[in-house]
Amino acid sequence: MKFYDLNLRGQDYENDLALVKEANKFGWDYLNLNYSYSNFDKAIQYKDDLINQLSDIDFNQTYRNKKTNFKHANLSMGINILNGNSNQIRKITNKYRDKTNYISCLGGDLKINRSVCENYKIDVLSRPYYKRRDSGMNHVLAKEAARHNVAIELSFGDILNNYLRYRTNVISSFKEILMFHRKFKFPLILTTDSKSIYDIRSTRDISSFFKSIGFSDREIYNGFYYYPKKIIDFNKDRKNMIVQGVKVIDGADFTDTYDSLDSDLEEFDDFDDGFDGFIDGYNDINEENDLREDEL
């Protein structure tokens, strides 16, 4: 099984490089660095340098080499919209939709939660429970998320970096959102929301935590691999989509359709002749019935 983490906190080149190196050593196969929309353009400029540095890691030189798969992680960059109202979220999404394979929006406010769930151009509603005493989800939002294919993100970082009552509230929110997921089938992804190398945990440790609070093996697989991969693959092909559900297919060959046009028309002519004969016979029957009625 491969593990995707779609929410690492992007900051600057040095911190980002340390973050992706450490995450790769702990067994993550795909890493997505999230930035605010104001910092995204700057981060894109050093993306290739990060990829080159990541590919130079020699896992045989590290003390964790026996716990990793010796493969270098794939890397992407996304946008996480913070502290915006509905109009700002819509404008930012429209501006950057074609520039990135991942757009998420921090939740917490119910108006924001609903606005994001109703916007099919946004990939993820991140942490709808943020700074709340409840999960930030209900039946209406769950239906909208499923209808518009908006994923809901649960972050392990909210467990790691909080204590006492707030941690308890977060775990309760996870369980409630999982219940909605099982009923309404909206995408549900799991992330670490790591800000520094000290937040990184192994894939096995994080999987064990989610299993301990009631997630099944299939739900953990979907949350760390299946749904994240679908989001990335879908957005790679988004530029070819005319409208939702319809896309351009490069290199499609329709010559067979035109080559068989003449034979198709001949078959239609034969069918047409038979149909004319059927009509003539039907008219003859009607004439006979009219004569019988006159005689009576």
Side-chain angles (χ1 to χ4, degrees):
M1 173 180 169
K2 292 185 176 181
F3 286 85
Y4 282 50
D5 187 359
L6 297 186
N7 190 7
L8 296 176
R9 295 281 190 94
Q11 299 177 39
D12 54 62
Y13 178 79
E14 295 298 331
N15 185 79
D16 296 349
L17 179 60
L19 198 60
V20 297
K21 280 186 175 181
E22 193 73 5
N24 199 180
K25 292 174 186 177
F26 271 98
W28 295 92
D29 300 285
Y30 189 101
L31 302 169
N32 181 73
L33 290 162
N34 274 335
Y35 302 87
S36 65
Y37 68 92
S38 59
N39 292 330
F40 178 75
D41 292 330
K42 180 180 178 181
I44 285 293
Q45 296 176 6
Y46 60 74
K47 178 181 178 180
D48 291 339
D49 292 334
L50 280 180
I51 294 175
N52 292 334
Q53 289 289 333
L54 192 61
S55 63
D56 290 338
I57 297 176
D58 184 2
F59 289 109
N60 293 311
Q61 305 270 323
T62 68
Y63 65 91
R64 298 185 183 90
N65 61 336
K66 295 181 180 180
K67 299 182 181 180
T68 63
N69 55 11
F70 300 97
K71 293 182 179 179
H72 299 100
N74 293 320
L75 184 66
S76 64
M77 291 181 172
I79 292 176
N80 188 21
I81 305 173
L82 307 171
N83 304 322
N85 57 42
S86 298
N87 290 332
Q88 291 174 331
I89 291 172
R90 185 173 61 255
K91 290 178 180 178
I92 295 170
T93 302
N94 291 336
K95 180 178 179 180
Y96 288 96
R97 180 65 277 179
D98 295 332
K99 299 180 180 180
T100 178
N101 291 332
Y102 186 83
I103 295 180
S104 64
C105 182
L106 178 65
D109 183 273
L110 283 180
K111 292 182 180 179
I112 298 299
N113 289 355
R114 177 151 190 171
S115 177
V116 173
C117 287
E118 293 175 345
N119 190 341
Y120 71 93
K121 291 185 177 181
I122 297 178
D123 300 311
V124 174
L125 171 60
S126 176
R127 305 157 68 197
Y129 50 83
Y130 180 65
K131 291 186 177 181
R132 299 184 61 85
R133 294 184 178 180
D134 58 16
S135 68
M137 292 291 293
N138 53 42
H139 291 76
V140 175
L141 297 185
K143 289 179 181 178
E144 291 300 318
R147 181 179 295 117
H148 295 93
N149 201 34
V150 176
I152 306 300
E153 175 192 344
L154 305 183
S155 171
F156 177 75
D158 291 314
I159 301 297
L160 182 65
N161 298 316
N162 292 288
Y163 305 92
L164 302 176
R165 181 172 296 180
Y166 186 76
R167 176 184 283 183
T168 303
N169 289 340
V170 171
I171 294 175
S172 298
S173 297
F174 282 10
K175 292 181 178 180
E176 185 173 349
I177 292 173
L178 177 62
M179 178 192 69
F180 285 128
H181 165 69
R182 289 171 175 173
K183 182 174 182 179
F184 296 101
K185 308 302 181 185
F186 54 79
L188 184 66
I189 68 170
L190 309 175
T191 68
T192 66
D193 192 26
S194 299
K195 306 178 186 67
S196 73
I197 60 174
Y198 304 107
D199 295 330
I200 302 293
R201 295 295 184 275
S202 71
T203 55
R204 178 176 294 182
D205 290 342
I206 296 181
S207 297
S208 298
F209 163 75
F210 281 104
K211 193 169 185 177
S212 71
I213 63 173
F215 282 70
S216 67
D217 291 339
R218 169 60 63 175
E219 288 161 347
I220 293 173
Y221 169 84
N222 289 342
F224 279 122
Y225 177 67
Y226 178 72
Y227 288 129
K229 187 176 186 300
K230 284 190 69 175
I231 291 172
I232 299 300
D233 291 346
F234 177 83
N235 285 322
K236 286 180 179 178
D237 211 23
R238 188 183 284 269
K239 63 181 180 180
N240 294 324
M241 295 185 184
I242 302 172
V243 294
Q244 190 174 13
V246 180
K247 68 178 181 179
V248 176
I249 302 176
D250 293 332
D253 186 6
F254 298 101
T255 54
D256 292 342
T257 303
Y258 291 101
D259 291 342
S260 61
L261 181 61
D262 293 338
S263 60
D264 290 342
L265 289 176
E266 290 176 1
E267 292 179 3
F268 182 79
D269 289 339
D270 294 339
F271 172 79
D272 193 40
D273 293 340
F275 187 73
D276 290 341
F278 172 79
I279 293 297
D280 292 340
Y282 182 77
N283 291 334
D284 292 340
I285 293 174
N286 285 339
E287 290 176 0
E288 291 178 4
N289 289 336
D290 292 340
L291 289 173
R292 288 178 181 175
E293 290 179 357
D294 293 341
E295 291 175 358
L296 293 175

